Amino acid sequence: MGQTAWGWLIAIYLFLGGLGAGSFLMAAFFELSGWRYRSKFCPVALVGATVSGPLVALGSLLLIFDLGAGRMQPWRILYMFTHFSSVMTWGIYILSIFIPLALVYGFLELMESEPWLKGFVAARLPWLLRNGRTYRRWVAAVGSVFAVATAVYTGVLISDVGPAIPLWSQPVLPFVRIPMLPILFFISAISTGMGLTFDISATIADPEIQRRFRIMDLSHILLIGLENIAIGLLFISALSSGGSAAESARIVLYGPLAVVFWVGVVLVGLAFPFVVHAYAIGRGQHSLASGVGSGVGIVIAGLLLRYMIVYAGIPAAL
Amino acid sequence: MSETKVSRRTFLRYLLGTGALAAAGGVGVGLTQGAQAALARTDKPKARYALIIDTTKCVGCGACVRACNIRNHLPEGKSYVHIVQKGDAKHPWFMPVQCQHCADAPCARVCPTRATYHHESGVVLINEKLCVGCKYCEVACPYQARTFDEERGVVDKCWLCLDWVSEGKEPACVQSCVLGARIFGRLDDPTSEVAQLVASGKAKPLHPEFGTHPAVLHYIIEG
Ligand code: SF4
Ligand code: SF4
């Protein structure tokens, strides 16, 4: 099909980078807007903060696992910090700042809700617990910058191959030379983060939460709309630019990747959540199943989107 | 009444947040592009050699591929040179492709470790001691010139047989081509055959629209 150098490990890495970043952004948004403090227990902030670090770290491990010599001789990974014209070098810096920040953020959340940890912190680091909110605010604010960077970077990484893989480097519009993939991956990062922390985790922890944050339904509709536009533009531009880009579009739209795209991405990740959330706006609330279901759909579709893009990357014809 | 007010304010604040996020993303992408353009503009050495492939003479026999594979001990199914068939079934013609040794080499730009670099002769080389095997270069090469060596975990490709070449000999592929479809020589000597073919415009870079400015390889293509 497409290029063969990068496969599903890279696809999962791109997905986890987005999911972790999106989850962090959700938690940080709840923290900075004060929504986290509307109730005693905020599952969105807790889950978002605690899973983001491990998710992105897991993704990075997969990336390392995909390396050749760098896996056999791990010290070589240090060389990856040295070349600033490479987006991968940027990514290594972004990840090595974001992961620790996210882990700290997770700790700051856990210490509030985990009684054992809370006791431990109260005994050893009372100042930390006393000013917990202040520290969380700071970590959330600074971390958000790196979370955005992480999510955007996953798209820039593969769009930066330029003419080699025309699908990946399709511009937003013919006259706007910014590539579409970073934007698409960023939108998907927020969606999947929201799906994981709100639709899935918060709904399970507290089904009532849907009623309190009805704005989430609206946000999902908005993001689904944006993602639709981004995917639509990507394939229109790929088809109209001909050559390998059009070939990529064809294998996605009615070739070997059509099932992944139409069923996995469009039906499960866009249409179904759209119906669920549009219906919920009318009705004021979800059922537990529809909330969790749409979240699971969005997250799975996020993974399949990365998979599809990676495998649809057909090299330029010679 | 008061409830709708609150929710409206929340909504506005929320919209603002979304806008800020979008702006941040946009600025991020913009910065990347700008910084990269700036970083990519470093001086590249001028190519000392030229390898011209005359597709009007090539019959696609694959002698160059075999010679290269033997020279570089490449396993079955791997090679630095691949022969692209062009034209239609009735009138096929052949175009051997290998590393073009681009002046603006995307492989070197995207390499996170600096393993891929320009030799002073303009030839693009890989320092295997630095390579981590991330395969970014392999993906970013528009000429599909790079292969991954599973055994050593590094990427490799045509290196113009630089050891032989610097002794004044020709690369293995050139020596093996009995039909004269491969012309090799010094580009920095204006009297050489290759320099004249390039200067006259008879031999041209392949796919200049890729924007990578192939420096060593040039092609003679009729029609
Ligand atoms: S042909 Fe490919 S590998 Fe060779 S210099 Fe150009 S981009 Fe790099
Ligand atoms: S595979 Fe090696 S040469 Fe290629 S980009 Fe990665 S580190 Fe550089």
Side-chain angles (χ1 to χ4, degrees), chain A residues 105-125:
Chain A
Y105 191 27
F107 177 82
L108 291 177
E109 274 294 344
L110 269 181
M111 77 178 186
E112 296 286 347
S113 55
E114 187 61 45
W116 174 83
L117 198 60
K118 191 166 192 169
F120 178 82
V121 174
R124 302 287 175 85
L125 312 158

Short mmCIF file of all heavy atoms in Angstrom, two decimals, chain A residues 105-125:
data_model
loop_
_atom_site.label_atom_id
_atom_site.label_comp_id
_atom_site.label_asym_id
_atom_site.label_seq_id
_atom_site.Cartn_x
_atom_site.Cartn_y
_atom_site.Cartn_z
N TYR A 105 1.68 16.62 37.60
CA TYR A 105 0.29 17.03 37.66
C TYR A 105 -0.57 15.88 38.19
O TYR A 105 -1.45 16.07 39.04
CB TYR A 105 -0.18 17.45 36.26
CG TYR A 105 -1.52 18.15 36.22
CD1 TYR A 105 -2.00 18.86 37.31
CD2 TYR A 105 -2.28 18.11 35.05
CE1 TYR A 105 -3.23 19.50 37.25
CE2 TYR A 105 -3.49 18.76 34.98
CZ TYR A 105 -3.97 19.45 36.08
OH TYR A 105 -5.18 20.08 36.00
N GLY A 106 -0.29 14.70 37.70
CA GLY A 106 -1.02 13.52 38.16
C GLY A 106 -0.84 13.32 39.66
O GLY A 106 -1.81 13.03 40.38
N PHE A 107 0.38 13.52 40.11
CA PHE A 107 0.64 13.37 41.54
C PHE A 107 -0.16 14.40 42.34
O PHE A 107 -0.78 14.08 43.37
CB PHE A 107 2.14 13.52 41.80
CG PHE A 107 2.51 13.45 43.26
CD1 PHE A 107 2.64 12.24 43.90
CD2 PHE A 107 2.70 14.62 43.99
CE1 PHE A 107 2.98 12.16 45.25
CE2 PHE A 107 3.02 14.56 45.33
CZ PHE A 107 3.16 13.33 45.96
N LEU A 108 -0.15 15.64 41.86
CA LEU A 108 -0.85 16.70 42.58
C LEU A 108 -2.36 16.45 42.66
O LEU A 108 -3.02 16.89 43.59
CB LEU A 108 -0.61 18.06 41.89
CG LEU A 108 0.82 18.61 42.00
CD1 LEU A 108 0.96 19.90 41.22
CD2 LEU A 108 1.21 18.82 43.45
N GLU A 109 -2.89 15.75 41.67
CA GLU A 109 -4.31 15.39 41.72
C GLU A 109 -4.54 14.17 42.61
O GLU A 109 -5.47 14.16 43.41
CB GLU A 109 -4.82 15.09 40.30
CG GLU A 109 -5.28 16.30 39.53
CD GLU A 109 -6.52 16.96 40.12
OE1 GLU A 109 -7.22 16.34 40.95
OE2 GLU A 109 -6.79 18.13 39.78
N LEU A 110 -3.65 13.20 42.45
CA LEU A 110 -3.81 11.98 43.23
C LEU A 110 -3.73 12.24 44.73
O LEU A 110 -4.42 11.61 45.52
CB LEU A 110 -2.74 10.96 42.84
CG LEU A 110 -3.08 9.97 41.73
CD1 LEU A 110 -1.91 9.04 41.51
CD2 LEU A 110 -4.33 9.18 42.08
N MET A 111 -2.88 13.19 45.10
CA MET A 111 -2.67 13.41 46.53
C MET A 111 -3.93 13.99 47.19
O MET A 111 -4.06 13.98 48.40
CB MET A 111 -1.47 14.32 46.77
CG MET A 111 -1.75 15.77 46.52
SD MET A 111 -0.34 16.80 46.88
CE MET A 111 -1.07 18.42 46.66
N GLU A 112 -4.86 14.50 46.35
CA GLU A 112 -6.10 15.01 46.92
C GLU A 112 -7.13 13.90 47.11
O GLU A 112 -7.94 13.94 48.02
CB GLU A 112 -6.71 16.08 46.01
CG GLU A 112 -5.86 17.32 45.84
CD GLU A 112 -5.88 18.22 47.08
OE1 GLU A 112 -6.72 18.00 47.97
OE2 GLU A 112 -5.03 19.13 47.15
N SER A 113 -7.07 12.93 46.20
CA SER A 113 -8.18 11.98 46.19
C SER A 113 -7.80 10.60 46.73
O SER A 113 -8.68 9.80 47.02
CB SER A 113 -8.74 11.84 44.78
OG SER A 113 -7.70 11.49 43.91
N GLU A 114 -6.53 10.34 46.83
CA GLU A 114 -6.09 9.03 47.32
C GLU A 114 -5.77 9.17 48.80
O GLU A 114 -4.76 9.78 49.16
CB GLU A 114 -4.86 8.59 46.52
CG GLU A 114 -4.39 7.18 46.78
CD GLU A 114 -5.42 6.14 46.45
OE1 GLU A 114 -6.06 6.25 45.37
OE2 GLU A 114 -5.63 5.26 47.28
N PRO A 115 -6.59 8.61 49.68
CA PRO A 115 -6.43 8.85 51.12
C PRO A 115 -5.02 8.50 51.63
O PRO A 115 -4.43 9.26 52.38
CB PRO A 115 -7.47 7.93 51.76
CG PRO A 115 -8.43 7.61 50.69
CD PRO A 115 -7.73 7.75 49.39
N TRP A 116 -4.51 7.40 51.13
CA TRP A 116 -3.19 6.97 51.60
C TRP A 116 -2.12 8.00 51.24
O TRP A 116 -1.31 8.42 52.06
CB TRP A 116 -2.85 5.62 50.97
CG TRP A 116 -1.46 5.19 51.30
CD1 TRP A 116 -1.04 4.55 52.43
CD2 TRP A 116 -0.29 5.40 50.51
NE1 TRP A 116 0.31 4.34 52.39
CE2 TRP A 116 0.80 4.86 51.22
CE3 TRP A 116 -0.05 6.00 49.26
CZ2 TRP A 116 2.10 4.90 50.74
CZ3 TRP A 116 1.25 6.04 48.78
CH2 TRP A 116 2.31 5.48 49.52
N LEU A 117 -2.20 8.43 49.97
CA LEU A 117 -1.22 9.41 49.51
C LEU A 117 -1.40 10.74 50.24
O LEU A 117 -0.44 11.41 50.59
CB LEU A 117 -1.38 9.60 48.00
CG LEU A 117 -0.20 10.22 47.27
CD1 LEU A 117 1.04 9.38 47.44
CD2 LEU A 117 -0.52 10.39 45.79
N LYS A 118 -2.65 11.08 50.47
CA LYS A 118 -2.95 12.34 51.14
C LYS A 118 -2.33 12.35 52.54
O LYS A 118 -1.71 13.32 52.95
CB LYS A 118 -4.46 12.54 51.22
CG LYS A 118 -4.84 13.94 51.66
CD LYS A 118 -6.31 14.21 51.40
CE LYS A 118 -6.57 15.70 51.58
NZ LYS A 118 -7.89 16.08 51.12
N GLY A 119 -2.50 11.23 53.25
CA GLY A 119 -1.92 11.12 54.57
C GLY A 119 -0.41 11.26 54.53
O GLY A 119 0.20 11.99 55.32
N PHE A 120 0.17 10.59 53.55
CA PHE A 120 1.62 10.62 53.40
C PHE A 120 2.11 12.05 53.15
O PHE A 120 3.03 12.55 53.79
CB PHE A 120 2.01 9.71 52.24
CG PHE A 120 3.48 9.68 51.96
CD1 PHE A 120 4.34 8.88 52.70
CD2 PHE A 120 4.01 10.48 50.95
CE1 PHE A 120 5.69 8.86 52.44
CE2 PHE A 120 5.38 10.46 50.68
CZ PHE A 120 6.21 9.65 51.43
N VAL A 121 1.45 12.72 52.21
CA VAL A 121 1.86 14.08 51.86
C VAL A 121 1.64 15.02 53.05
O VAL A 121 2.48 15.86 53.36
CB VAL A 121 1.10 14.58 50.61
CG1 VAL A 121 1.43 16.03 50.33
CG2 VAL A 121 1.45 13.73 49.40
N ALA A 122 0.51 14.84 53.74
CA ALA A 122 0.21 15.71 54.88
C ALA A 122 1.29 15.58 55.97
O ALA A 122 1.65 16.55 56.61
CB ALA A 122 -1.16 15.35 55.46
N ALA A 123 1.80 14.36 56.11
CA ALA A 123 2.81 14.16 57.14
C ALA A 123 4.17 14.68 56.71
O ALA A 123 4.89 15.31 57.49
CB ALA A 123 2.90 12.67 57.47
N ARG A 124 4.54 14.42 55.46
CA ARG A 124 5.90 14.75 55.01
C ARG A 124 6.01 16.11 54.34
O ARG A 124 7.00 16.82 54.49
CB ARG A 124 6.40 13.69 54.00
CG ARG A 124 6.43 12.29 54.54
CD ARG A 124 7.58 12.13 55.53
NE ARG A 124 7.55 10.81 56.14
CZ ARG A 124 8.11 9.74 55.58
NH1 ARG A 124 8.74 9.86 54.45
NH2 ARG A 124 8.02 8.58 56.17
N LEU A 125 5.02 16.44 53.51
CA LEU A 125 5.11 17.67 52.73
C LEU A 125 3.85 18.52 52.94
O LEU A 125 3.10 18.76 51.99
CB LEU A 125 5.25 17.34 51.23
CG LEU A 125 6.28 16.29 50.83
CD1 LEU A 125 5.95 15.70 49.47
CD2 LEU A 125 7.67 16.90 50.80
#
